[in-house]
Amino acid sequence: MKSVISLAAVSLAAVLVALTNPGDAAESPTSYPTKPVTIIVPFAPGGPTDTVARTIGAVMSKSLGQQILVENVGGAGGTIGVGRAVAAPADGYTVLLMHIGISTAPSLYRTLKYDVTNDLEPIGLVAEVPMTLVAKKDLAPANLRDFVTYVKANKTKMSYAHSGVGSASHLCGMLFMSAIETDVLTVPYKGTQPAMTDLLGGQVDFMCDQSTNTTSQIKADKIKVYGVTSKARLGSLPNVPTMDEAGMKGFNIGVWHGLWTPKNTPKIINEKLNKALQDALKDKDVIERMAALGTAPEPVTRQTPEALRAHLVGEIAKWAPIIKNAGVYAD
């Protein structure tokens, strides 16, 4: 009888401790968030995806009532950062911001330790950023037609920079070289910013990168630009022709960004994150900041988990044959 009473007393004591020390008990999803939230960006600081994360993060933090921290986990075309997010606790305190590269990784990498369609919970689409075809300042060609001719004539001397296998700049480069049926030396970097630094320094000849990373350099006349990959000219770069206008018909590519949480994150937490995302994407300062970088928030109908899930599946199917035909793979 004494042992029964003792066990009851211990159990009651445990309950009282939990009540008086709520930090020691499991947090209820309804009280989320009670501490800072980290957005993992699978690329180096200062790059276009990092810029998008920091642009929306400031407003999302106001909506959530907690600070948003950005953690840059670069390497392997973003797959290391995605893997970090997949392995994180499903408690809403680790969020992933990733771009189009998440849809090409299943075809590019022979072995992935995760399944992008099943190991992550979609929150919503953020923005689609156009690409710009740019070159070092002193490269001779003045327009796209001359540039294509120049690349073909000097293919053994040319170098193309990209921010890693599977990155947006890598994909754009593959499409460009496929379109002109000419291969040149590709130089991979651990992030977009290091690639841009070498382009500015003249160590590499050209690259294709998101407008969020190139607009300021183009406006400062530090690099040469041959075209934007959007169907219409950008308000931030009104004098830069589209690739269609410049002579490369159908060369349209946009780098979409999405927000995810680890699999099994409670629905109520994902709903709070989605609301915070939508609050950020209608914020005046965010809209103005994105416009200055050549992009805009996705329409409200695409800022949903359902829209992101469907978009990801469609993009995986779209890129698989392109990558297979290019014969590009990574371990």
Side-chain angles (χ1 to χ4, degrees):
M1 187 65 176
K2 288 183 180 180
S3 62
V4 174
I5 293 173
S6 298
L7 287 173
V10 170
S11 298
L12 177 59
V15 171
L16 290 174
V17 168
L19 290 174
T20 55
N21 297 280
D24 295 336
E27 178 184 316
S28 168
T30 57
S31 63
Y32 170 88
T34 61
K35 59 184 180 180
V37 175
T38 296
I39 293 181
I40 289 180
V41 172
F43 304 101
T49 304
D50 182 69
T51 299
V52 172
R54 295 179 191 277
T55 298
I56 65 172
V59 180
M60 286 184 67
S61 67
K62 294 178 183 178
S63 179
L64 292 170
Q66 290 290 339
Q67 185 180 8
I68 295 283
L69 306 174
V70 175
E71 180 183 3
N72 297 93
V73 185
T79 59
I80 294 176
V82 176
R84 173 82 66 85
V86 166
D91 56 10
Y93 290 104
T94 300
V95 182
L96 170 70
L97 180 71
M98 181 54 173
H99 62 36
I100 187 174
I102 199 170
S103 64
T104 60
S107 298
L108 276 170
Y109 290 85
R110 290 187 172 90
T111 56
L112 276 182
K113 295 180 180 179
Y114 51 82
D115 181 338
V116 297
T117 58
N118 292 317
D119 292 339
L120 293 165
E121 304 282 359
I123 301 300
L125 282 157
V126 179
E128 183 166 311
V129 183
M131 306 289 283
T132 51
L133 183 64
V134 296
K136 61 184 182 181
K137 176 65 179 173
D138 61 357
L139 203 66
N143 56 56
L144 181 61
R145 291 182 188 277
D146 290 347
F147 177 67
V148 170
T149 300
Y150 184 88
V151 172
K152 288 184 175 182
N154 297 276
K155 61 183 180 181
T156 60
K157 303 175 184 178
M158 298 291 288
S159 56
Y160 175 83
H162 66 78
S163 57
V165 174
S167 64
S169 54
H170 180 218
L171 297 174
C172 190
M174 278 199 302
L175 286 178
F176 176 73
M177 284 180 257
S178 175
I180 67 173
E181 299 180 337
T182 304
D183 291 326
V184 303
L185 173 68
T186 60
V187 184
Y189 289 81
K190 292 182 178 180
T192 302
Q193 201 57 43
M196 176 58 73
T197 298
D198 273 9
L199 184 72
L200 289 167
Q203 280 77 42
V204 288
D205 295 308
F206 71 108
M207 66 186 294
C208 186
D209 198 14
Q210 299 175 59
S211 61
T212 45
N213 194 51
T214 61
T215 298
S216 61
Q217 307 292 358
I218 293 169
K219 287 183 174 181
D221 199 30
K222 293 182 177 180
I223 55 177
K224 188 167 287 187
V225 59
Y226 292 113
V228 297
T229 64
S230 51
K231 293 183 179 179
R233 293 196 181 196
L234 304 181
S236 58
L237 297 169
N239 296 322
V240 178
T242 65
M243 296 291 279
D244 276 349
E245 291 174 328
M248 190 167 286
K249 298 296 182 181
F251 196 92
N252 306 122
I253 177 174
V255 182
W256 54 270
H257 294 75
L259 209 62
W260 287 266
T261 55
K263 183 179 180 179
N264 296 325
T265 298
K267 183 178 179 181
I268 189 172
I269 290 177
N270 288 336
E271 288 174 345
K272 289 182 180 182
L273 286 167
N274 178 260
K275 180 183 182 302
L277 173 63
Q278 295 201 23
D279 287 345
L281 296 182
K282 65 184 179 184
D283 181 82
K284 181 175 178 291
D285 291 339
V286 170
I287 294 172
E288 290 180 354
R289 173 64 174 153
M290 286 190 174
L293 296 170
T295 186
E298 286 286 341
V300 175
T301 54
R302 287 171 60 79
Q303 299 170 13
T304 65
E306 296 76 19
L308 177 53
R309 182 180 290 107
H311 189 70
L312 175 59
V313 171
E315 287 286 283
I316 290 173
K318 168 187 171 181
W319 282 99
I322 295 174
I323 293 169
K324 182 178 180 180
N325 290 338
V328 178
Y329 298 100
D331 293 326

